[in-house]
Every structure is written in structure tokens, then in C-alpha cells.
Amino acid sequence: MDLEVLRSFRAVAEGVTVTEAAADAHLTQPALSRALRRLEGEVGAELFQRVGRVLRLTPAGRVFKEYVDTVLDGYDRGRRAVAEVVDPDTGVVSLAFLHTLGTWLVPRLVTEFRQRFAAVRFELHQADENGLTQHLLDATADLIITGKDPGHPLITWRRLLVEPLWLAVPARHRLAQRRRVRLAEVAAEQFIVLKPGYGLRSVTESLCRQAGFAPLVGFEGEEVETLRGLVAAGLGVSLIPAAPDAAAAPETNPDLPIRYLSLTDVRAARDIGIACLSSRTLPPAARRFVDHALRATAAVKEK
């Protein structure tokens, strides 16, 4: 059974036409069609059925694809591991991270790392907290940078830093001229939050409980930038990290469309850490990135 035929099978199973898959494999379309029929003969079942002009997986094909994915992913990881043993200054780091970290922390860490190891490539994925854990368990990422310890027995998590959270209010809000407030002072107001499953959503709910109330959810989003835009429009308040242009002194910048207020009645912050599978030996490039992330964030904490 040819690995390249398996790759073509997977491509067609994921919606690529036979013509396109044949071109990618440097084959003619009839040659690839014959190869796929031979594959069905070896497996002993029809893997595709034609629906109009499109090939769809049969029930047997769907089962077979799960194992093909495992074979091809394992083979590719094996080749990558060997290449990194031969030349540890090259390689690929597969990194998954929270959406909220894609505007500042991850770009900075990756850029600084590649200044030392320019030949290393990155595969980047974004997900919510649950999705990040699944990336590790499915072996689709070497590392995750997440907002909290996943608390999973198969995952090792190490804290990188503690990120402050602020109460963001519109510029014309009744509290906008203050620098410090109690979270309880906005208990009756609408909160703009991330959707369930995002770490910042659970942090917001936890902090509000500590302040003695449940947040009244007015709007839900999937990106912190969306939350900022809704706050600026006067649609509610939100517990979020400071925007990059306000990070140095968010409580003293009068030109922003929203104001960032520090909270005095709760510890408004969240942990950010890096994690990997406990049982897996990381490739050299990924190990180096973990060391770099720990050193880089330690230097920030010391300032």
C-alpha cells in the first residue's frame, strides 16, 4: 500500500477532486482512479460513492480514513523527528494558543525565537481552552499556550506569567473618570463576554461571583477585539486585558474610546502558561521553544 496513494485518498475524502489530487500527486486522473480502485481491492470494500459529480465516503471509507490519518500523521511526525535529530537547528514547532494571545504574546515569542533559530518553522493554531487541550490529546500540536492549567492527568502545564485584567467601560460611562473601582459597582450593568468555552469567560464569571453577583450577559463574542468594539459603542462593560496601545498605562490614557479601570475588590488577573503531553518526548525545536518562552516571560516579570 503506497503512502502517496493514501495521501491522495485522504485528499479526495476531504473534498479535493480526483483531478486536483492527481495533479498534486503528479499523476494522470485515470492513473489515480485506478490506484484508488486497487486500494479498495486491498481493503476489501468500496471506499467512495459518487453523488452527482462528487465522490463521498462510504461508511467503510469513513472508518478507513480514521486509520489512514493516524498512519500518515505518525509517518510525518517520524520523518520530522529524524530530521531534527540530524539537524536540531531546523524543524517545525506545532503551537496552539488562545485567540486572545495572538495579538501580543505569541507573535513576540515566535519572532524572538526565530531570530536565533531562523530555520525553524511554526505551525500555528488558534482555539478556545477546550480546543487547546484536544490539540494536545490528538497530537495535532506539540505545545499549547493557554490561560489556565488544563488540569488533565496527561498534560504538564507551566506558568509563564500572570496577565492583568481590567474593567473596560465606554469613554462616557459614569465611572470613566475613575481609575479604581469595585467590580460590585457594575453588578447591575450588561456585560460583554466571550462565548462559553473560552477561558476569559470562566474567569469573568468567577470574578463576578467573588464580588457577589452573577454577570448580566448582554452580548457574547469570539474575539477580545470584538468585545472592545462593543464596549466602545456603549453597549456594556467587560473584563478584558488592556489593548496593546494601552498596555503601558491603561488607566491614565485619556485618548482611548474606552477606559480601563483597575479593580479593588477582586484579584483581576489570569494565569498564562505553556503545556505539553507529559508522556511525550518533545522534538528538539519544541523543547527549545519552551525554554525560550520561560526565559522571555521571566525577564518580563523581573522588570
Side-chain angles (χ1 to χ4, degrees):
M1 196 175 290
D2 190 326
L3 282 175
E4 293 309 313
V5 175
L6 292 182
R7 292 190 192 280
S8 296
F9 162 80
R10 179 161 70 174
V12 174
E14 293 176 350
V16 175
T17 67
V18 174
T19 301
E20 293 168 334
D24 291 340
H26 304 291
L27 297 172
T28 64
Q29 180 176 335
L32 179 55
S33 295
R34 289 193 297 271
L36 292 176
R37 286 196 293 272
R38 286 196 302 272
L39 180 61
E40 290 179 322
E42 293 180 34
V43 174
E46 287 189 354
L47 301 176
F48 293 103
Q49 60 185 1
R50 184 169 292 280
V51 180
R53 296 185 175 182
V54 180
L55 290 180
R56 301 293 187 194
L57 286 174
T58 64
R62 287 194 293 272
V63 171
F64 185 60
K65 183 179 181 298
E66 294 178 12
Y67 292 92
V68 169
D69 289 341
T70 299
V71 168
L72 293 178
D73 291 344
Y75 176 74
D76 290 340
R77 287 198 302 272
R79 288 188 60 186
R80 190 180 101 192
V82 170
E84 291 181 354
V85 168
V86 174
D87 186 358
D89 288 337
T90 65
V92 178
V93 178
S94 183
L95 175 67
F97 54 92
L98 284 176
H99 295 80
T100 54
L101 304 180
T103 59
W104 66 285
L105 180 61
V106 171
R108 193 191 80 200
L109 291 177
V110 170
T111 298
E112 292 172 352
F113 183 81
R114 295 194 72 247
Q115 288 173 353
R116 294 185 58 199
F117 304 103
V120 172
R121 294 188 300 109
F122 280 81
E123 294 177 353
L124 301 177
H125 315 272
Q126 290 182 298
D128 60 19
E129 297 282 1
N130 295 332
L132 292 178
T133 298
Q134 203 58 46
H135 267 298
L136 281 186
L137 298 178
D138 290 344
T140 53
D142 298 322
L143 304 166
I144 61 173
I145 298 181
T146 181
K148 64 179 181 179
D149 186 343
H152 195 286
L154 300 180
I155 294 175
T156 298
W157 181 88
R158 301 174 71 179
R159 180 182 289 106
L160 292 176
L161 53 87
V162 177
E163 182 182 35
L165 299 178
W166 306 79
L167 179 67
V169 302
R172 295 185 179 181
H173 191 273
R174 61 186 174 84
L175 300 175
Q177 301 309 310
R178 306 247 310 261
R179 292 189 180 184
R180 297 173 181 81
V181 297
R182 293 179 299 110
L183 184 56
E185 292 182 65
V186 291
E189 302 201 24
Q190 286 197 333
F191 274 73
I192 301 169
V193 297
L194 294 179
K195 291 182 176 180
Y198 288 83
L200 195 54
R201 170 66 175 265
S202 60
V203 170
T204 295
E205 292 172 340
S206 175
L207 290 174
C208 289
R209 282 196 302 270
Q210 292 175 39
F213 67 97
L216 176 62
V217 176
F219 297 90
E220 295 180 329
E222 296 182 350
E223 297 281 351
V224 169
E225 288 306 315
T226 299
L227 272 55
R228 290 194 179 104
L230 294 173
V231 171
L235 299 178
V237 302
S238 189
L239 282 172
I240 52 178
D245 59 352
E251 74 278 24
T252 61
N253 191 332
D255 299 322
L256 298 174
I258 60 179
R259 302 288 188 264
Y260 293 96
L261 313 178
S262 62
L263 296 171
T264 60
D265 55 345
V266 292
R267 176 183 175 272
R270 65 170 176 173
D271 288 331
I272 294 175
I274 192 164
C276 62
L277 285 179
S278 305
S279 60
R280 185 181 173 201
T281 300
L282 288 173
R287 290 201 306 271
R288 284 178 170 174
F289 183 77
V290 172
D291 293 340
H292 165 72
L294 291 168
R295 284 196 304 269
T297 51
V300 171
K301 287 182 284 191
E302 290 172 0
K303 290 181 179 180

